[in-house]
Amino acid sequence: MHIDTYRFSYIEVNGHSYTSDVIIGPEGMVDGWWRKTGHSLFPGDLAMALEMAPGTLVIGTGHDGRMQVPEETQSFLENEGIEVRAAETGRAVELFNELQAQGTRVVAALHLTC
């Protein structure tokens, strides 16, 4: 999978356009990803991402970085043996593509707006 383009509320993956939050893994993706409390990311929000067996999870916290990744979530993922890389979504897209090109087993959970 390759992220071709990202801008506020829009992402293009392998030539297909999406306008809602996504989870992208090596073998596929989930469109319309949503979190129980919107701008906070908790372990239960990541069930679909964890099914993709990431070695590294790249979290896009939004165009302006408003989605929070609480310590509880980071600790949970680290205890599962998953490296966590959280950044504003524009940077997260770059990280995902870089790690993918290096052969890392990477999954991205991306908030596309705020």
Side-chain angles (χ1 to χ4, degrees):
M1 302 296 275
H2 183 270
I3 302 171
D4 305 315
T5 304
Y6 165 73
R7 63 180 178 271
F8 187 89
S9 191
Y10 176 86
I11 195 164
E12 186 175 305
V13 181
N14 288 352
H16 299 282
S17 302
Y18 304 92
T19 57
S20 60
D21 295 355
V22 295
I23 296 175
I24 305 167
E27 293 89 22
M29 64 180 293
V30 175
D31 181 26
W33 172 55
W34 193 246
R35 288 139 323 277
K36 192 171 189 174
T37 57
H39 285 111
S40 288
L41 181 65
F42 293 100
D45 299 323
L46 294 168
M48 291 179 281
L50 297 178
E51 288 175 11
M52 296 179 182
T56 301
L57 178 63
V58 173
I59 300 169
T61 60
H63 184 270
D64 299 321
R66 292 192 180 178
M67 186 178 77
Q68 301 298 311
V69 184
E71 182 60 38
E72 163 193 348
T73 303
Q74 290 183 32
S75 294
F76 170 81
L77 293 166
E78 290 167 2
N79 288 337
E80 293 292 313
I82 299 168
E83 179 185 2
V84 179
R85 306 279 297 269
E88 291 179 356
T89 301
R91 177 64 185 133
V93 164
E94 293 170 359
L95 283 169
F96 176 83
N97 284 336
E98 289 168 10
L99 292 167
Q100 185 91 15
Q102 294 170 5
T104 303
R105 177 96 186 154
V106 61
V107 172
L110 305 173
H111 179 48
L112 301 186
T113 59
C114 44

